[in-house]
Amino acid sequence: MQCLEITDLRNRLIRQEETIIFALIERAQFELNPTIYEPGRIPMPDFDGCFSDFLLFRTECLHAMVRRYTSPDEHPFFENLPVPILPHIDYPEVIRETSINVNDRILSLYKSHILPAICRLGDDGQYGSSATCDVACLQALSMRIHYGKFVAETKYRQDLGAYGRIIRDGDRDAILECLTDADVEAGIYRRVERKAATYGRDIDVDGDVGVYKISPAEIAKIYRKWIIPLTKEVEVDYLLLRLDG
Amino acid sequence: MQCLEITDLRNRLIRQEETIIFALIERAQFELNPTIYEPGRIPMPDFDGCFSDFLLFRTECLHAMVRRYTSPDEHPFFENLPVPILPHIDYPEVIRETSINVNDRILSLYKSHILPAICRLGDDGQYGSSATCDVACLQALSMRIHYGKFVAETKYRQDLGAYGRIIRDGDRDAILECLTDADVEAGIYRRVERKAATYGRDIDVDGDVGVYKISPAEIAKIYRKWIIPLTKEVEVDYLLLRLDG
């Protein structure tokens, strides 16, 4: 396997914060619009789920055609997607191939916790726009959280001995502890809050008007309560499979 | 026809600046990738154009299904899109219905002028990601520029007499002059540059690191050279049709 440079990995994770924050700010301009999350409320052809999921599924069908999900850092929310119409790329093997995919949980926490934290309650009728923003938010969250696989691989390589032992023991708690760096995490929450405060502020001709489109503290909380814990679960799941095969 | 509140219209135009700037910043993280703009270079089924256009076309097919282009503020880049699968909405008539659609020119100036102004030259292989960002940029630009119809309608109503006369004369130059407010435009360029400087800056744990993801001056220039002039053309075209029917 090829080695992923730790600086490169760190830069990608940091850059994904912008993508996530921009996507959440865009979604937050529309109201919650609960109608688009109620399965069957807006009947869609050959699809049982809700309107937002329909748009996500059909977008994934299109992106699958152009080979999105053959990339090791992309994970679809839906199964049975079309086969790519573009020729296969042999990506360099940087992580072990696994079937780990936590998108079901991402979809669920997005609807239950993230949307209510960023959107005004209510129905403004902007269903298509809201669902289009949902697709961008979910794709950005999914990429960030599944990057846990790359993070785990990099940490594993930095200390083969220690990880080898606790992985063989199947000791989830020990692996989680070994992966956790409270200082690094505190830095992420601080940086993310600063970014949300900068990118989410309203700007007038004469400068900052001191209004935030989304609460910077809420964005830091979304990272602390959902994104980072779920990323670490992906890391643990990945390491438990690391010595197989 | 219903009347569009001038404050509401102004707020929407200002909010669209964020959407455009966020989309351009997202596109700028990838290199230019000229391959995706060369027709036929990546062969796509039943499609003669380039890869980026293919993704735009197929995205429009999906969005047409969920009724995007029945909204008076949405304009597709492609023709012969599928019919909506959702029931028709009767939007309140705020502007006259016209066939004005300058998306061909938006697509052309995006590829010729905007992309080279924001992306590093080169090919990083991120074709799918780049084309996905292109869709977001083009949809945001198209909405902003075609909002010229709403702007024109509002200005027309503020001075029926003056506009009526020059419209009946078919005097494009006089209409353009009547629509132009150099102070307002200078304010837009100033605000857009400030926004690009704020939303495009890199933020570290300890604060601003003084690096811009895109040049704020380039964003102001894109507004000054392309977005505003083309918006004003839409305004003139709209007013020339305003008294018909």
Side-chain angles (χ1 to χ4, degrees):
Chain A
M1 289 207 291
Q2 285 198 6
C3 192
L4 191 65
E5 285 287 338
I6 187 105
T7 320
D8 187 33
L9 176 62
R10 184 171 178 270
N11 288 340
R12 288 193 207 178
L13 292 170
I14 289 177
R15 182 59 187 80
Q16 287 174 36
E17 292 164 2
E18 270 83 324
T19 302
I20 291 172
I21 292 168
F22 289 167
L24 294 176
I25 291 172
E26 287 295 283
R27 178 61 184 87
Q29 69 187 304
F30 307 111
E31 294 184 0
L32 188 60
N33 293 319
T35 298
I36 66 172
Y37 306 107
E38 290 173 28
R41 176 72 183 273
I42 302 173
M44 307 304 292
D46 307 318
F47 192 79
D48 288 333
C50 66
F51 178 77
S52 174
D53 289 356
F54 174 80
L55 208 72
L56 177 61
F57 170 60
R58 288 299 189 102
T59 303
E60 289 203 332
C61 289
L62 170 57
H63 289 181
M65 283 174 63
V66 296
R67 210 171 41 193
R68 180 174 189 138
Y69 304 107
T70 64
S71 171
D73 59 3
E74 294 281 1
H75 298 74
F77 284 80
F78 289 90
E79 293 173 354
N80 302 318
L81 297 173
V83 293
I85 53 175
L86 297 180
H88 180 73
I89 294 180
D90 271 322
Y91 288 96
E93 196 188 11
V94 175
I95 51 169
R96 283 289 166 94
E97 206 177 312
T98 65
S99 62
I100 297 164
N101 182 328
V102 297
N103 277 339
D104 278 355
R105 294 175 60 195
I106 294 173
L107 194 56
S108 163
L109 77 88
Y110 177 71
K111 293 175 186 172
S112 308
H113 300 287
I114 298 181
L115 281 176
I118 61 166
C119 293
R120 278 164 290 125
L121 299 181
D123 185 320
D124 56 19
Q126 299 285 336
Y127 298 163
S129 303
S130 301
T132 306
C133 290
D134 288 338
V135 173
C137 290
L138 288 163
Q139 288 179 332
L141 290 167
S142 175
M143 179 179 277
R144 172 63 179 83
I145 289 166
H146 287 102
Y147 248 75
K149 298 181 183 181
F150 295 89
V151 175
E153 178 65 29
T154 305
K155 289 183 179 169
Y156 169 75
R157 289 193 198 195
Q158 287 175 332
D159 197 348
L160 293 175
Y163 279 108
R165 190 169 26 83
I166 53 178
I167 290 170
R168 270 185 299 270
D169 290 346
D171 188 342
R172 284 194 79 92
D173 293 342
I175 298 173
L176 188 62
E177 201 187 310
C178 206
L179 286 166
T180 299
D181 184 330
D183 287 344
V184 168
E185 287 175 24
I188 294 174
Y189 307 140
R190 207 158 61 237
R191 186 177 57 237
V192 161
E193 187 161 346
R194 275 181 195 278
K195 285 185 178 179
T198 306
Y199 307 144
R201 75 175 74 168
D202 272 340
I203 308 282
D204 207 341
V205 181
D206 304 313
D208 191 344
V209 297
V211 174
Y212 294 122
K213 293 188 183 71
I214 45 174
S215 150
E218 279 296 339
I219 299 300
K221 194 171 145 193
I222 288 167
Y223 259 80
R224 197 176 61 245
K225 281 193 70 172
W226 310 109
I227 297 177
I228 297 302
L230 198 45
T231 304
K232 286 160 71 177
E233 274 194 57
V234 169
E235 293 177 35
V236 175
D237 289 345
Y238 176 84
L239 288 177
L240 284 170
L241 297 172
R242 181 61 183 78
L243 303 180
D244 293 356
Chain B
M1 290 207 291
Q2 286 199 5
C3 193
L4 190 65
E5 287 287 339
I6 187 105
T7 321
D8 188 32
L9 176 61
R10 184 172 177 270
N11 288 340
R12 288 193 208 178
L13 292 170
I14 289 176
R15 181 60 187 79
Q16 287 175 35
E17 293 163 1
E18 270 83 324
T19 302
I20 291 172
I21 292 169
F22 289 166
L24 294 177
I25 290 173
E26 286 295 283
R27 177 61 183 88
Q29 69 187 304
F30 307 111
E31 295 185 0
L32 187 61
N33 292 321
T35 298
I36 67 174
Y37 306 107
E38 290 173 29
R41 176 74 182 272
I42 302 172
M44 306 304 293
D46 305 318
F47 193 79
D48 287 334
C50 65
F51 178 78
S52 174
D53 288 358
F54 174 81
L55 208 73
L56 177 62
F57 170 60
R58 288 298 189 101
T59 303
E60 291 203 331
C61 289
L62 171 57
H63 290 181
M65 283 174 63
V66 296
R67 208 172 43 192
R68 180 174 190 138
Y69 304 107
T70 64
S71 170
D73 59 4
E74 294 281 1
H75 299 73
F77 284 80
F78 289 90
E79 293 174 352
N80 302 317
L81 297 173
V83 295
I85 52 176
L86 297 179
H88 180 72
I89 294 180
D90 272 322
Y91 289 96
E93 196 188 11
V94 176
I95 51 170
R96 283 290 167 92
E97 205 176 312
T98 65
S99 62
I100 296 164
N101 181 327
V102 297
N103 277 339
D104 278 354
R105 294 176 59 195
I106 294 174
L107 194 55
S108 162
L109 77 87
Y110 176 71
K111 293 175 186 172
S112 308
H113 299 288
I114 298 181
L115 280 176
I118 61 166
C119 293
R120 277 164 291 125
L121 298 181
D123 184 320
D124 57 18
Q126 299 285 334
Y127 298 164
S129 304
S130 302
T132 306
C133 290
D134 288 337
V135 172
C137 290
L138 288 163
Q139 287 178 332
L141 290 167
S142 175
M143 179 179 278
R144 172 63 181 82
I145 288 166
H146 287 102
Y147 248 76
K149 298 181 183 181
F150 295 90
V151 175
E153 179 65 29
T154 306
K155 289 183 178 170
Y156 169 75
R157 290 194 196 193
Q158 287 176 332
D159 197 347
L160 293 175
Y163 279 107
R165 189 167 26 80
I166 53 178
I167 291 170
R168 271 185 297 273
D169 291 346
D171 188 342
R172 285 193 78 91
D173 292 342
I175 299 173
L176 187 63
E177 201 187 310
C178 206
L179 288 166
T180 299
D181 184 329
D183 287 345
V184 168
E185 288 175 23
I188 294 175
Y189 308 140
R190 207 157 61 235
R191 186 177 57 238
V192 160
E193 187 162 346
R194 274 180 196 277
K195 285 186 177 177
T198 305
Y199 307 144
R201 77 174 74 165
D202 271 342
I203 308 282
D204 207 341
V205 180
D206 304 312
D208 190 343
V209 296
V211 174
Y212 294 123
K213 293 189 184 70
I214 45 174
S215 150
E218 279 296 340
I219 299 299
K221 193 169 144 194
I222 287 168
Y223 259 80
R224 196 175 62 244
K225 281 194 70 171
W226 309 109
I227 297 178
I228 298 302
L230 198 45
T231 304
K232 286 160 70 177
E233 273 194 56
V234 168
E235 294 177 34
V236 175
D237 289 345
Y238 177 84
L239 287 177
L240 285 169
L241 298 172
R242 181 63 184 75
L243 302 181
D244 293 357

